[in-house]
Amino acid sequence: SLGKVQEDFYHRIDILLDTFPVSGEGSLCEALWMGVPVIALNGNRRTAQMGASVLYSAGKPEWICKSEEQITNVVAALAVDIPALAKIRKRLRDEVAGAALFNPRLMVVSLENAYIKALDEIRSKEN
């Protein structure tokens, strides 16, 4: 459970931008749970890909950006439509609660499927 200061913080912001090039994955999970949309830039290093991984596992790949220009466009689209942003904020916790990020069983199945896919790709290259 979050402390009062953390809860107050998430109630005061509309959108959280992930840090780059080192992602703040714990903060991203907290923000999503508190109903705050998170925008992340997917980079080339593992530390810069964690935000994208969190968002993918939360079922929010539309908030993963490939460029700074895309981040600007996504954030602007969210920020300009206040009624839509309010709807997102209201339903986000329920949406992510059913995603792999917050569902250990689903996360394990997702991870197993990723391993199987990777193994199949390796085997197909060997043949």
Side-chain angles (χ1 to χ4, degrees):
S1 126
L2 299 176
K4 176 91 170 103
V5 172
Q6 288 170 300
E7 285 186 19
D8 287 347
F9 171 75
Y10 291 116
H11 289 301
R12 289 184 182 152
I13 63 172
D14 294 317
I15 301 165
L16 182 76
L17 302 179
D18 188 19
T19 54
F20 188 85
V22 178
S23 179
E25 52 280 344
S27 297
L28 303 185
C29 294
E30 288 177 356
L32 292 168
W33 190 252
M34 293 301 294
V36 177
V38 172
I39 310 302
L41 179 61
N42 194 8
N44 294 329
R45 293 189 220 155
R46 182 189 158 290
T47 56
Q49 296 171 345
M50 293 306 294
S53 179
V54 167
L55 288 172
Y56 183 78
S57 296
K60 296 297 173 187
E62 66 271 22
W63 294 338
I64 301 168
C65 299
K66 294 182 173 123
S67 69
E68 291 175 12
E69 181 180 352
Q70 187 181 11
I71 286 176
T72 303
N73 294 337
V74 171
V75 171
L78 283 171
V80 75
D81 191 347
I82 302 301
L85 183 59
K87 286 180 186 176
I88 290 169
R89 299 268 331 237
K90 187 173 183 175
R91 68 174 192 249
L92 187 56
R93 181 184 287 194
D94 289 336
E95 289 177 6
V96 298
L101 181 64
F102 294 103
N103 183 325
R105 177 168 287 170
L106 208 57
M107 182 62 92
V108 169
V109 169
S110 177
L111 186 59
E112 286 175 343
N113 289 336
Y115 287 150
I116 291 167
K117 181 179 176 184
L119 187 57
D120 287 346
E121 288 176 13
I122 291 169
R123 287 180 177 158
S124 70
K125 289 177 184 177
E126 290 176 350
N127 294 331

